Amino acid sequence: MYEDRRLRIVVVGSGYVGTTMAASFADLGHQVTAVDIDEDVVEALHAGDAPIHEPGLADLIERHAGGNLEASTAYDSLAGADLVYLAVQTPTDEAGNIDTTALETAARMSGEAIADQPPAERPVIVIKSTVTPPHVETIRAAAAAGAGDETLEVAMNPEFLREGSAVSDFREPDKLVFGTSSQRGDDMLTAAFEPIIEATNPVVIRTDPDTAAMIKYANNAFLAAKISLINDLGNICKEFGIDAYEVADAIGADDRIGEQFLRSGVGWGGSCFPKDVRAIIQAATAAGYRPAVLEAAVAVNAEQPARMLELLDEHVDVEDQRVAVLGLAFKPGTDDVRNSRAIPLIEGLQERGANVVAYDPVASEEMQARIPEIEYAKSAARALDGAVGALIVTAWDEFETLDDAFDAMDRQLVVDGRRVIEPRPGMTYEGLTW
Ligand code: UDX
């Protein structure tokens, strides 16, 4: 039955979300064209290569490239599409406001590309990029102006994919959010996700585009604030000599609190939480409301690396001494170092005059591009060799079994920001919140 509902979908913007979505829709059986102005990205997709590192994505691209999945630099591939997804990046300025210039251009060009079609046959334009509610209107207006049609359906379908499990998150979402302003918009989105709805029966939230945009920010802000709250409580635990993880296990058993996202430590990083929390604070402030809890969530998060360094300072003066930083990715399972907690930690060590030697199983090259002046070790054991202290920043599994490797340290001092290792006899071990 689904065979009849095979859609033609164009995805404008082949970044992280755009590529994952294009390949995943192709895998559902839709005919997908990924449009990007970057010729290298388009060529890579043609060749069946994944432009980003994400488990399962390379397989999907290889399987569908040249078949269900095509790539192009030209907007004329929008003609005849059922859905046009806008998944263009929205960079952030110093203050945290999102810059929608590129997204507006993509919206206008998409509108222009479909202006000649009869209104009833035009594709539904869907915003996938994360934009604040006031920006939804800006993007809608740009697309409508391009098409010369104020009634053009511009929907919002926010994304909740996690890095490292984006492909499976797409296949098995907890919820789908369809923010539309017409029945046709809702029908199209329902058809696009029909195989998933049939297979996994997720909660489907049908609402207007502004509310859909707000749901995305509320989701990320809530999770980020939850981590900051457990970090705040964890810092109190540390002062009282109490194990925050024992406390978290207990409160997590309360269904109203829930056990997830209660791992206290050095805080949240990545491409979403830091960007989205600051963007919604800026948008709210511009609208006349200062969100005090969210501001505090950011402040607590900014302080956690400094607290880790203070714990190190309590035991050793690191000036001219070798200090190991274990873990550079913002979380395990990815090579992404955007807003990684390792960055302020390395900077803090540099300010103290330490000789930093860093190690990560997959993200060393990424960090080296940002911070080239420190030493990068080929293994955790080599990073620890001769160090007077080690900071554990990312919860990679391999750090759990380093065991004897700590013997090669000049001084066995470990400050653990993620509760990864068990202290060994003879080791000075400081947990950040335990
Ligand atoms: C997040 C959201 O989970 C996802 O729904 C959204 O679409 C994009 O942003 P992601 O950034 O990939 O996904 O990572 P996530 O697994 O949510 O972790 C974010 C950060 O929080 C990481 O730095 C992680 O180390 C930290 N974290 C997470 C904690 O410090 N404690 C926890 O208990 C959980």
Side-chain angles (χ1 to χ4, degrees):
M1 176 189 119
Y2 170 66
E3 295 304 310
D4 307 325
R5 312 273 330 241
R6 188 171 190 241
L7 301 185
R8 276 212 51 208
I9 301 176
V10 173
V11 179
V12 179
S14 297
Y16 182 82
V17 168
T19 308
T20 305
M21 196 174 50
S24 299
F25 272 138
D27 196 46
L28 292 183
H30 298 304
Q31 183 62 41
V32 182
T33 307
V35 171
D36 201 290
I37 48 169
D38 187 333
E39 285 183 12
D40 292 343
V41 170
V42 169
E43 255 173 51
L45 287 171
H46 269 147
D49 296 336
I52 51 162
H53 169 93
E54 185 62 34
L57 184 60
D59 280 355
L60 291 188
I61 293 175
E62 204 187 320
R63 200 170 327 141
H64 298 295
N68 278 4
L69 179 61
E70 290 167 314
S72 171
T73 52
Y75 274 77
D76 54 14
S77 42
L78 270 66
D82 300 300
L83 280 172
V84 173
Y85 267 97
L86 303 177
V88 174
Q89 272 142 7
T90 52
T92 308
D93 70 12
E94 277 289 300
N97 298 292
I98 52 167
D99 175 357
T100 54
T101 317
L103 182 57
E104 278 173 63
T105 305
R108 188 177 38 73
M109 287 174 74
S110 298
E112 285 168 2
I114 57 172
D116 290 344
Q117 290 180 245
E121 288 170 27
R122 284 188 189 130
V124 170
I125 310 268
V126 190
I127 306 171
K128 186 55 107 174
S129 311
T130 300
V131 293
T132 58
H135 281 112
V136 172
E137 171 51 23
T138 318
I139 306 309
R140 186 208 62 77
D149 174 9
E150 266 307 305
T151 66
L152 185 74
E153 168 74 33
V154 179
M156 178 88 212
N157 173 217
E159 201 49 78
F160 304 96
L161 307 177
R162 289 165 300 175
E163 286 188 33
S165 54
V167 172
S168 55
D169 285 354
F170 184 94
R171 276 275 178 179
E172 291 166 47
D174 288 343
K175 62 175 174 287
L176 294 168
V177 179
F178 299 162
T180 59
S181 26
S182 72
Q183 189 58 47
R184 183 163 170 259
D186 188 66
D187 289 346
M188 284 294 184
L189 284 170
T190 305
F193 285 95
E194 194 169 279
I196 290 174
I197 296 170
E198 278 179 6
T200 68
N201 195 24
V203 175
V204 181
I205 294 119
R206 295 189 154 84
T207 185
D208 60 87
D210 286 351
T211 307
M214 190 62 205
I215 289 170
K216 163 78 186 207
Y217 279 101
N219 214 93
N220 277 350
F222 203 97
L223 290 172
K226 187 175 184 187
I227 301 169
S228 279
L229 180 54
I230 198 65
N231 283 339
D232 211 17
L233 294 164
N235 293 339
I236 300 174
C237 289
K238 183 73 180 176
E239 296 299 327
F240 293 159
I242 292 166
D243 180 348
Y245 278 68
E246 215 182 312
V247 174
D249 281 348
I251 63 171
D254 186 323
D255 278 347
R256 293 167 302 174
I257 293 173
E259 62 183 14
Q260 291 191 56
F261 277 63
L262 286 181
R263 293 191 63 83
S264 56
V266 70
W268 33 273
S271 64
C272 288
F273 286 174
K275 180 174 187 272
D276 292 353
V277 177
R278 290 174 73 217
I280 197 67
I281 290 174
Q282 288 301 323
T285 308
Y289 176 71
R290 280 191 64 178
V293 174
L294 294 183
E295 286 184 345
V298 172
V300 169
N301 200 52
E303 269 308 299
Q304 292 308 91
R307 288 186 63 84
M308 222 171 143
L309 290 167
E310 278 165 25
L311 285 171
L312 185 70
D313 291 338
E314 281 175 20
H315 296 280
V316 67
D317 176 359
V318 295
E319 189 171 0
D320 293 327
Q321 305 283 338
R322 193 175 159 89
V323 177
V325 173
L326 300 187
L328 302 170
F330 87 90
K331 69 173 192 182
T334 175
D335 63 351
D336 194 344
V337 299
R338 282 177 290 175
N339 287 300
S340 167
R341 311 280 69 206
I343 296 168
L345 284 168
I346 292 170
E347 287 168 355
L349 290 171
Q350 287 176 317
E351 278 160 25
R352 288 162 171 76
N355 301 324
V356 181
V357 49
Y359 168 73
D360 190 281
V362 298
S364 288
E365 247 176 64
E366 302 288 326
M367 191 60 92
Q368 206 160 6
R370 270 166 201 253
I371 310 182
E373 66 276 14
I374 60 168
E375 189 183 329
Y376 289 86
K378 291 253 178 291
S379 69
R382 288 206 201 165
L384 291 171
D385 195 355
V388 298
L391 302 179
I392 302 186
V393 191
T394 314
W396 287 107
D397 287 347
E398 67 171 72
F399 298 156
E400 287 171 27
T401 50
L402 286 173
D403 306 326
D404 296 350
F406 290 107
D407 293 339
M409 294 180 78
D410 253 18
R411 183 175 171 165
Q412 283 201 40
L413 167 61
V414 176
V415 184
D416 192 345
R418 298 285 185 195
R419 201 183 180 93
V420 177
I421 68 159
E422 287 291 330
R424 288 157 50 85
M427 175 185 278
T428 305
Y429 177 85
E430 290 280 5
L432 189 49
T433 57
W434 58 97

